[in-house]
Amino acid sequence: MAKEVSNGANQVTSKPPPEPSPLRRAKFFQANMRILVTGGAGFIGSHLVDKLMENEKNEVIVVDNYFTGCKDNLQQWIGHPRFELIRHGRILLTSTSEVYGDPLVHPQTEDYWGNVNPIGVRSCYDEGKRVAETLMFDYHRQHGIEIRIARIFNTYGPRMNIDDGRVVSNFLAQAIRDEALTVQLPGTQTRSFCYVSDMVDGLIRLMEGDNTGPINIGNPGEFTMTELAETVKEMINPEVKIINVENTPDDPRQRKPDITKAKELLGWEPKIKLRDGIPLMEEDFRKRLGISRKN
C-alpha cells in the first residue's frame, strides 16, 4: 500500500520499496549459497571467508580489486542483465563506528546521527562510510535490493597488518620488538575492542537475519589508551616503557557501542574478552615477525 504524508495543503505520496523476489525464501536458495566477498583478502574479510567456507554448500568468490566501492557494487548489481533473477540476493555493507565521529552521545546507539567534521583530516573515511550507507538505502528504496548494514567498532586479532597504525597492532608490535609503547595524548580517550571471531559471527547473523540495520557490532568493554598500553605491557613485555606522543586532529574522545539491537534482533553479543584475545594475536604476530617470547 502506498503511504500518504500530509504537508499542509499538499500531499506527498511515497511508495514502499519493491518486494524482493520470492526466490529469496525458496528451499534451493537456502541450501546452496553463492557469496561474493569484496575485500575478502583483508583482515576481517579473510576471517569471514574462512567461516563461510566451513559450509561446503557455499560457493565463496573473493574479489579485491575488480569491484571498487559501494556505488560500483550496487550499480553492477542492478545493471546485471539477469537482475530480476538475482534480486533475491542480499548485500552487506560493513560500515563503521566512525560514522559517529567524535560522539556527544555515549555509548553510541544506531539512531545517533554523529558529530563529524566534514573537512577534517579524518573526514574522507568517516564521510565515505556515511555516504555508502545513504547509497545502500537509496538503492534499497528504489530498486528493492535487500541490504544489511553493520556498523563495526574497533576489531583486533590475527592477520592484522603489523604496521597499519591501529592501536592494538601498534602496541603489540612495539612490545614484541622491545620498543616503547606510544600512547597518543591525552591517553584518556577510550575505545572498545572486539575480537575478530566475534565480529564475523555478528556479521553472519546480520546477513542471515531479517533486519536491515544499521546495527552496531562491537564489544562494549571500554578501555582508555593508557589502560590498553598497560595491559599489553603486562601481558607481552613488562620491560618496555610507555611514552606519550602528540595526537592526530579530530581523534574521538570516546567510543563504545550500545549493542542492545544486536542482542535483541540477532541474539548476538561478544564472547572473547580483551585479555583472552591478546595472546592469540601475539602468537600470530610473533610468527610473522620471527621473534620468540623470552624465557
Side-chain angles (χ1 to χ4, degrees), residues 93-111:
L93 171 69
T94 51
S95 187
T96 171
S97 61
E98 294 291 341
V99 300
Y100 301 124
D102 186 8
L104 304 178
V105 171
H106 193 73
Q108 293 79 58
T109 57
E110 291 87 350
D111 58 1

Side-chain angles (χ1 to χ4, degrees), residues 41 54 58 107 112 173 212-213 221 229 288:
E54 290 179 7
N58 288 340
Y112 176 52
T212 297
R288 288 192 281 153

Side-chain angles (χ1 to χ4, degrees), residues 246-263:
E246 288 299 317
N247 203 340
T248 55
D250 298 326
D251 185 45
R253 290 163 292 178
Q254 52 189 2
R255 189 64 60 73
K256 176 182 177 178
D258 183 313
I259 60 169
T260 302
K261 279 191 174 182
K263 288 180 178 180

Side-chain angles (χ1 to χ4, degrees), residues 18-283:
E19 283 292 318
S21 166
L23 291 176
R24 153 54 60 186
R25 297 175 179 83
K27 290 183 178 179
F28 78 88
F29 180 81
Q30 299 289 342
N32 190 7
M33 302 282 282
R34 175 172 291 177
I35 305 168
L36 174 68
V37 181
T38 61
F43 164 47
I44 297 177
S46 65
H47 287 276
L48 177 60
V49 168
D50 284 353
K51 188 68 175 179
L52 294 171
M53 292 284 286
E54 290 179 7
N55 185 345
E56 295 181 358
K57 295 180 179 180
N58 288 340
E59 179 183 350
V60 181
I61 306 167
V62 179
V63 178
D64 258 3
N65 297 320
Y66 182 67
F67 286 153
T68 56
C70 178
K71 183 178 180 181
D72 287 350
N73 286 340
L74 291 165
Q75 201 59 42
Q76 295 230 14
W77 193 303
I78 67 168
H80 194 284
R82 297 170 62 197
F83 172 64
E84 288 304 318
L85 293 177
I86 67 171
R87 176 148 44 100
H88 60 271
R90 292 178 180 175
I91 182 167
L92 168 70
L93 171 69
T94 51
S95 187
T96 171
S97 61
E98 294 291 341
V99 300
Y100 301 124
D102 186 8
L104 304 178
V105 171
H106 193 73
Q108 293 79 58
T109 57
E110 291 87 350
D111 58 1
Y112 176 52
W113 289 0
N115 177 42
V116 176
N117 176 2
I119 58 172
V121 295
R122 300 167 56 94
S123 63
C124 60
Y125 182 69
D126 303 358
E127 298 289 18
K129 288 293 190 177
R130 287 161 72 95
V131 76
E133 290 191 13
T134 301
L135 285 168
M136 290 283 284
F137 270 96
D138 282 346
Y139 277 74
H140 168 65
R141 286 185 285 256
Q142 184 172 351
H143 301 288
I145 292 177
E146 279 203 74
I147 63 169
R148 302 290 183 269
I149 296 178
R151 288 180 178 161
I152 66 175
F153 282 66
N154 293 68
T155 308
Y156 72 100
R159 302 181 194 166
M160 289 187 80
N161 189 323
I162 291 173
D163 296 307
D164 68 357
R166 301 185 210 185
V167 65
V168 180
S169 53
N170 272 4
F171 286 173
L172 257 74
Q174 289 168 340
I176 291 171
R177 291 166 170 160
D178 289 323
E179 299 171 355
L181 309 189
T182 53
V183 177
Q184 293 186 342
L185 291 169
T188 55
Q189 63 271 37
T190 67
R191 298 293 184 272
S192 303
F193 303 101
C194 184
Y195 191 71
V196 66
S197 62
D198 284 334
M199 176 60 61
V200 166
D201 181 45
L203 294 176
I204 290 177
R205 285 175 183 244
L206 175 58
M207 191 64 166
E208 292 179 344
D210 295 325
N211 194 276
T212 297
I215 291 183
N216 291 335
I217 306 292
N219 192 319
E222 186 179 16
F223 300 86
T224 68
M225 295 303 93
T226 298
E227 288 173 338
L228 176 63
E230 290 171 345
T231 300
V232 170
K233 175 179 178 175
E234 174 195 339
M235 298 184 68
I236 308 299
N237 188 347
E239 304 301 319
V240 297
K241 295 180 179 180
I242 297 176
I243 62 174
N244 292 117
V245 297
E246 288 299 317
N247 203 340
T248 55
D250 298 326
D251 185 45
R253 290 163 292 178
Q254 52 189 2
R255 189 64 60 73
K256 176 182 177 178
D258 183 313
I259 60 169
T260 302
K261 279 191 174 182
K263 288 180 178 180
E264 294 178 352
L265 300 175
L266 308 180
W268 177 89
E269 61 183 314
K271 301 175 182 177
I272 298 179
K273 297 180 180 179
L274 184 65
R275 283 184 169 271
D276 296 325
I278 284 177
L280 303 175
M281 187 171 171
E282 177 194 7
E283 181 181 357

